Amino acid sequence: MTKSKKKRITNTVRFIILAIYLLIVLLPIYWMVITSFKTNPEIINAQHITYFPKIFTLENYQSLFNMMDYGIYLKNSLIVTLSSAVVVVILSIFGGYGLARFKFRGKGAVLLFFLITQMIPSILVIIPMYVVFIKMGLINSYMSLFIFYSLTNLPFCVITMRSFFERIPYVLEEAAYVDGCSKMQTLRKIVLPVMFPGIVAVFVFAFIGAWNELIAGTIFINTPDMWTIPVGLKSLLVSILYNGEL
């Protein structure tokens, strides 16, 4: 068997494995989306499972907006999540670049500190931060969630960004320095375009981490008009359980 044939077989097997994995990942998302457009009888009919709505309806979405202020919760979640994710990405770029490219005293201690923070459950710092936020007058505000989400997501994002920077050959930056670029110009024009996949990965991690968070949103926010989507959905489920109706 020739090398080209072996390579073709290897690529084919790899493609099949990745395709199966992609199908496994996308299937729950597809099922969730199509189920939202089905009628209630079709959803609960376990004897006749349908993979596409027989009757396409938007009544589930209408019920969602009628039963709760979902639009307000969506706006609150987008404000807090997007702002914290953008700030985390910007700080992670500078922090990751500094840890990857510069040598300084205490660098190992900084990395160790970031790693240790990932071993501490975020629930342990909520009460101390709650006391601090009360004294600063930040309870029941976007700023409290913004600070909490940024601090909890930043260490892991910095470590992740550092690993992406270390994969970029330093000769690219040296060539830019020879052409007269400063460090900021090199970072902006040379490094960041190459780093785009890593930046997207860090942004997605920070976004999802803030979007799905429930406990801090429940403790720091008391007014329903300031609730995020997880807090609003929790309130909806509690009301359903106690009232016994949907």
Side-chain angles (χ1 to χ4, degrees):
M1 184 180 295
T2 61
K3 290 185 178 179
S4 60
K5 192 173 182 179
K6 287 183 179 180
K7 185 176 181 180
R8 197 181 310 116
I9 294 175
T10 302
N11 291 337
T12 302
V13 173
R14 184 181 303 171
F15 175 80
I16 293 174
I17 294 175
L18 291 176
I20 294 174
Y21 178 76
L22 179 63
L23 181 63
I24 294 174
V25 171
L26 294 181
L27 184 59
I29 300 175
Y30 168 77
W31 190 258
M32 176 185 65
V33 173
I34 65 162
T35 302
S36 67
F37 294 111
K38 294 180 180 179
T39 60
N40 287 337
E42 187 178 357
I43 293 174
I44 64 177
N45 190 354
Q47 296 179 350
H48 301 283
I49 298 176
T50 57
Y51 298 93
F52 195 80
K54 293 181 179 179
I55 301 177
F56 189 87
T57 179
L58 295 176
E59 65 179 8
N60 296 317
Y61 291 96
Q62 294 173 352
S63 300
L64 177 64
F65 281 90
N66 291 332
M67 294 179 62
M68 57 186 294
D69 297 325
Y70 191 81
I72 297 177
Y73 302 155
L74 178 62
K75 180 199 71 174
N76 296 335
S77 289
L78 288 175
I79 291 174
V80 176
T81 303
L82 287 175
S83 59
S84 63
V86 170
V87 170
V88 166
V89 168
I90 294 174
L91 295 179
S92 298
I93 289 174
F94 289 104
Y97 184 80
L99 292 174
R101 291 291 188 255
F102 297 105
K103 295 181 179 179
F104 54 89
R105 183 177 298 178
K107 178 179 177 180
V110 173
L111 289 173
L112 181 61
F113 172 76
F114 284 161
L115 290 174
I116 290 177
T117 58
Q118 302 307 299
M119 302 170 59
I120 302 175
S122 59
I123 186 66
L124 294 180
V125 301
I126 286 184
I127 301 303
M129 293 188 70
Y130 181 82
V131 175
V132 173
F133 288 158
I134 286 180
K135 295 181 179 180
M136 297 177 63
L138 297 179
I139 292 298
N140 208 36
S141 67
Y142 292 135
M143 186 58 65
S144 60
L145 294 181
F146 169 79
I147 295 175
F148 179 80
Y149 295 156
S150 299
L151 291 179
T152 53
N153 290 324
L154 186 59
F156 180 81
C157 291
V158 170
I159 295 174
T160 304
M161 196 71 76
R162 169 181 172 266
S163 65
F164 282 112
F165 277 118
E166 289 180 339
R167 297 177 185 177
I168 299 177
Y170 188 66
V171 293
L172 294 177
E173 299 178 47
E174 290 179 333
Y177 296 150
V178 172
D179 291 336
C181 291
S182 63
K183 284 192 176 295
M184 285 300 300
Q185 290 175 330
T186 302
L187 180 64
R188 179 169 56 89
K189 297 181 179 180
I190 305 299
V191 179
L192 291 185
V194 181
M195 279 280 299
F196 184 74
I199 294 174
V200 172
V202 169
F203 177 83
V204 170
F205 176 85
F207 183 90
I208 294 177
W211 183 270
N212 293 333
E213 205 283 327
L214 170 64
I215 299 178
T218 304
I219 295 177
F220 295 152
I221 304 297
N222 303 320
T223 306
D225 291 340
M226 299 286 292
W227 282 351
T228 56
I229 288 180
V231 182
L233 292 179
K234 182 211 69 172
S235 176
L236 176 63
L237 292 176
V238 170
S239 65
I240 291 173
L241 291 174
Y242 277 95
N243 296 331
E245 59 182 15
L246 182 60

